[in-house]
Amino acid sequence: MNPASPLLALAFWSPAAAQFGPPQTLAESTGPLDAAIVDLDGDGDLDLLSAGSAPRVVWYENLGAGSVGPLHILTTEAQEGEDLFAADLDGDADVDLLIAAGWPHCISSIENRGPGVFGEQRHIEETYNSRGVFAADLDADGYNDLLLAAGNEITWHENLATRTPVGDVYCAPSIPNSSGQPGLLVPRPR
């Protein structure tokens, strides 16, 4: 028996083709560029988050049975919202938002302050041609760090804050982090 045979069988196995119903409009939006589904209000169901060519990021509460409530405007300062990502950025167990906007060329965050209550948009870093923003605990210290795709590079930004929204930090590449490497996120001076 050829040892590669089981792998070949797996590589060519495919479940039956998925079947989908006709499209159903959940919400009207001006030039949507990105949408995400995430529980924004802590009620256990997935809500709709949207950004686009209109200078705003909005969310719609999931009402169940394929319907959403009225839009809630999170910010009107994110024209050409290229990417949205939801993750706990400040260690308080709710999902905060990251926005990569084409105008103003920046990455920003919005803190989730409780069920369906959000803070103001906070600038993290100016970028050019930002296309993606992600959060994950890349250094295993218990805090979600930032991973940005902008221009011609992908950059990692260690989250040095302790229970501080990422929006309360500023870019300071010359200050070393705990591993001695240049740290990019440090508490904003008061």
Side-chain angles (χ1 to χ4, degrees), residues 19-28 66:
Q19 299 289 318
F20 297 98
Q24 299 176 32
T25 301
L26 289 176
E28 296 291 328

Side-chain angles (χ1 to χ4, degrees), residues 73-84:
I73 297 174
L74 294 170
T75 182
T76 58
E77 305 272 331
Q79 188 165 348
E80 301 298 325
E82 294 285 342
D83 194 31
L84 299 169

Side-chain angles (χ1 to χ4, degrees), residues 92-112:
D92 64 358
D94 57 23
V95 291
D96 306 299
L97 305 176
L98 289 168
I99 305 161
W103 182 258
H105 303 284
C106 74
I107 303 298
S108 58
S109 70
I110 299 177
E111 180 188 6
N112 186 339

Side-chain angles (χ1 to χ4, degrees), residues 77-174:
E77 305 272 331
Q79 188 165 348
E80 301 298 325
E82 294 285 342
D83 194 31
L84 299 169
F85 196 85
D88 183 8
L89 301 174
D90 54 4
D92 64 358
D94 57 23
V95 291
D96 306 299
L97 305 176
L98 289 168
I99 305 161
W103 182 258
H105 303 284
C106 74
I107 303 298
S108 58
S109 70
I110 299 177
E111 180 188 6
N112 186 339
R113 294 187 175 161
V117 178
F118 293 87
E120 294 181 20
Q121 178 181 2
R122 295 174 186 231
H123 172 81
I124 296 173
E125 180 178 324
E126 288 190 31
T127 62
Y128 179 73
N129 200 21
S130 58
R131 296 290 184 222
V133 59
F134 308 93
D137 185 7
L138 297 174
D139 56 359
D141 66 354
Y143 298 98
N144 282 323
D145 306 304
L146 301 182
L147 189 65
L148 309 177
N152 294 322
E153 57 188 12
I154 298 172
T155 57
W156 169 55
H157 302 258
E158 181 181 8
N159 185 349
L160 300 178
T162 304
R163 294 195 178 271
T164 302
V166 171
D168 278 346
V169 295
Y170 72 104
C171 182
S174 62

Side-chain angles (χ1 to χ4, degrees), residues 26 35-40 45-50 60 62 84 86:
L26 289 176
I37 54 171
V38 62
D39 184 8
L40 295 171
D45 59 23
L46 298 173
D47 305 304
L48 175 62
L49 179 64
S50 175
Y60 303 85
N62 182 347
L84 299 169

